[in-house]
Amino acid sequence: MSKVILVTGAGRGLGTDIAREALAAGHQVVATGRRPEEVEKTLGGPQDNLLVTKLDVTSLDDAEAAAHAAVDRFGRIDVLINNAGNLFTGYFEEISPAQMRRQFETNLFGPMNVTRAVLPIMRAQRAGRVITITSTAGLVGMEFTSAYAASKFAEEGWMESLRYDVEPYNIHTTIVEPGYFRTELLVDGSTTWPELSIDDYAPRTAPRIEGMKSMSGKQPGDPAKLARALLTIAGQEKPLLRFVAGADAIEAAEAKAKELLAQAEASRELGGALAYDDAHA
């Protein structure tokens, strides 16, 4: 069944693949990006089932305008795919406070803006899907990713809680946690390196940056396959609450789950005996 699918960050990387696969499957697509003329060119020009509109996710006004344009053109929004994001990487002390805030503006407040604009439409319909792409870094903290992981952990907490807010209106949420996919996240323009430089970190920073740059284009995951998997989830009657995407992501999630269980068990004696003792209150 054809759906109206709004995709953020459709001008490059995974967003382009999602839009292309959705069009190929017969869906009506609202493809958004900061430079709509480039989005349209990337997707092959004007098409009957395609609406391209400007959307900088850090602007609530842009988000509301894009949502209204979608309804004006197609009459509804069935699926929102929050895909737009970027990567600020580096050791915490070398990431400036301004960089940290910019990371959260795009990766957390950005999808919040778009979701805030779309939810009134979905509530009126009493139907909708909100799919937000986080990262394995939203489950597992790693070296050199404190800003990115912080934004993705926050995004996960928001989405996990949003589920309960919107389920009564037949709106379903899915968190997508990809591993390494061959997208454009590691290219200049999507990745920002640390602004500050501290001598103690210097011997580790340069090799980390070179290592990340060398990974670009060699990631194991196929973004076109991920895009098709997202469309499958969008069509499920009861979609997955979490979609762990990629063998590397599944391995990381399993390791984190085991670690959490082990830490809970290790905390049992000390942490499990902290309640008020009413008899001695």
Side-chain angles (χ1 to χ4, degrees):
M1 180 179 174
S2 176
K3 297 181 181 295
V4 178
I5 301 176
L6 192 156
V7 184
T8 68
R12 63 192 305 181
L14 177 60
T16 298
D17 285 297
I18 295 169
R20 283 177 177 158
E21 294 293 336
L23 288 167
H27 297 293
Q28 296 167 309
V29 175
V30 183
T32 73
R34 288 177 295 171
R35 292 175 286 275
E37 64 284 351
E38 293 182 15
V39 175
E40 186 171 84
K41 182 179 179 181
T42 299
L43 295 176
Q47 301 169 52
D48 289 343
N49 281 352
L50 173 65
L51 169 65
V52 176
T53 188
K54 178 181 180 296
L55 174 53
D56 177 343
V57 296
T58 65
S59 167
L60 181 57
D61 288 343
D62 273 11
E64 291 175 343
H68 291 150
V71 173
D72 288 345
R73 174 71 175 270
F74 296 124
R76 58 190 295 115
I77 299 173
D78 298 305
V79 181
L80 166 62
I81 301 181
N82 284 311
N83 163 74
N86 57 17
L87 168 62
F88 282 75
T89 191
Y91 293 109
F92 171 69
E93 286 188 279
E94 295 192 319
I95 296 170
S96 71
Q99 285 184 309
M100 185 67 78
R101 290 181 184 279
R102 284 160 54 201
Q103 179 73 103
F104 272 75
E105 283 294 337
T106 299
N107 286 3
L108 176 63
F109 296 116
M112 283 184 172
N113 283 337
V114 183
T115 304
R116 192 181 297 278
V118 167
L119 281 180
I121 297 164
M122 291 184 173
R123 279 193 290 104
Q125 297 168 176
R126 287 300 193 262
R129 306 287 168 89
V130 178
I131 299 173
T132 296
I133 298 170
T134 65
S135 171
T136 305
L139 284 175
V140 181
M142 293 172 279
E143 184 179 357
F144 213 63
T145 63
S146 60
Y148 184 69
S151 70
K152 291 299 183 179
F153 266 74
E155 197 175 20
E156 293 247 342
W158 162 59
M159 279 293 294
E160 191 168 304
S161 300
L162 180 67
R163 165 196 173 189
Y164 299 100
D165 294 0
V166 299
E167 269 187 338
Y169 314 112
N170 195 33
I171 301 170
H172 299 284
T173 64
T174 298
I175 300 167
V176 181
E177 297 155 339
Y180 286 107
F181 277 79
R182 206 165 296 180
T183 66
E184 297 182 30
L185 184 63
L186 293 178
V187 303
D188 291 338
S190 291
T191 296
T192 301
W193 309 108
E195 259 180 0
L196 308 178
S197 179
I198 297 173
D199 288 345
D200 271 350
Y201 292 105
R204 298 161 65 196
T205 294
R208 278 280 168 183
I209 290 175
E210 289 308 309
M212 293 182 72
K213 287 182 175 180
S214 71
M215 287 177 57
S216 184
K218 299 177 183 176
Q219 301 96 320
D222 182 341
K225 290 181 178 178
L226 175 54
R228 289 194 287 272
L230 296 180
L231 294 179
T232 297
I233 290 170
Q236 291 174 333
E237 183 177 349
K238 292 186 177 179
L240 289 170
L241 298 173
R242 265 193 165 79
F243 176 45
V244 186
D248 56 339
I250 291 170
E251 182 179 348
E254 289 175 334
K256 181 61 177 278
K258 291 176 183 177
E259 180 189 355
L260 283 173
L261 288 172
Q263 292 297 312
E265 184 57 36
S267 301
R268 188 179 300 279
E269 182 177 353
L270 183 61
L274 301 178
Y276 272 107
D277 185 347
D278 292 334
H280 298 90

